[in-house]
Amino acid sequence: MNPEDTPLISVVMAVYNGADYLDEAIESILQQTLTNFEFIIIDDGSKDDSLEIIKKHAPYDSRIIVITRENRGFAFSLNEMLAISKGKYIARMDQDDIALPNRFELQIQFLENHPEHTA
């Protein structure tokens, strides 16, 4: 991967039976004003329509990385996503949250201006 192709942010979202709010959560990430990110989504063995909702978005946005498998739990999913993430920063997103359009822009601006808050 070329350095200019490296995402600034790796967005990680573990999904388990989150169909009720998942479409809106995904859309809120895809509509961010800061666009240099990868979006890693694990479907952790959902029994509802979560995987279909995720797959609806993936073909239209190359930033989305979809992993689907049997249920292994939230902590396992987060560790799996962290292991494959390529971004300088990690942004965690829950399946039932909505991110304001400038969330990443404001967070990165703060972190870049205040390096004492980064680890």
Side-chain angles (χ1 to χ4, degrees):
M1 178 177 273
N2 294 329
E4 61 271 3
D5 294 333
T6 303
L8 182 60
I9 305 170
S10 293
V11 184
V12 296
M13 181 165 57
V15 175
Y16 181 74
N17 293 339
D20 289 345
Y21 304 103
L22 187 56
D23 195 54
E24 293 87 353
I26 292 172
E27 282 293 327
S28 74
I29 295 300
L30 298 179
Q31 295 172 0
Q32 290 294 300
T33 55
L34 189 151
T35 60
N36 183 10
F37 62 84
E38 65 180 351
F39 191 5
I40 305 168
I41 306 172
I42 287 187
D43 178 68
D44 193 27
S46 294
K47 308 274 189 249
D48 64 2
D49 291 332
S50 293
L51 184 56
E52 289 75 25
I53 293 167
I54 296 165
K55 286 183 173 180
K56 176 181 84 171
H57 292 278
Y60 301 105
D61 198 310
S62 62
R63 297 173 296 182
I64 298 175
I65 299 163
V66 179
I67 300 168
T68 182
R69 54 162 170 68
E70 73 281 352
N71 183 266
R72 293 187 185 160
F74 185 70
F76 188 95
S77 296
L78 287 178
N79 286 327
E80 186 176 350
M81 290 183 288
L82 290 174
I84 65 169
S85 64
K86 297 178 182 78
K88 178 179 178 181
Y89 299 105
I90 302 293
R92 208 175 68 68
M93 181 69 180
D94 287 326
Q95 65 189 18
D96 60 351
D97 282 346
I98 305 285
L100 294 175
N102 61 346
R103 170 189 168 187
F104 297 160
E105 185 178 350
L106 293 174
Q107 288 175 325
I108 294 302
Q109 184 179 55
F110 177 85
L111 291 171
E112 294 286 322
N113 290 328
H114 300 90
E116 68 274 13
H117 291 283
T118 61

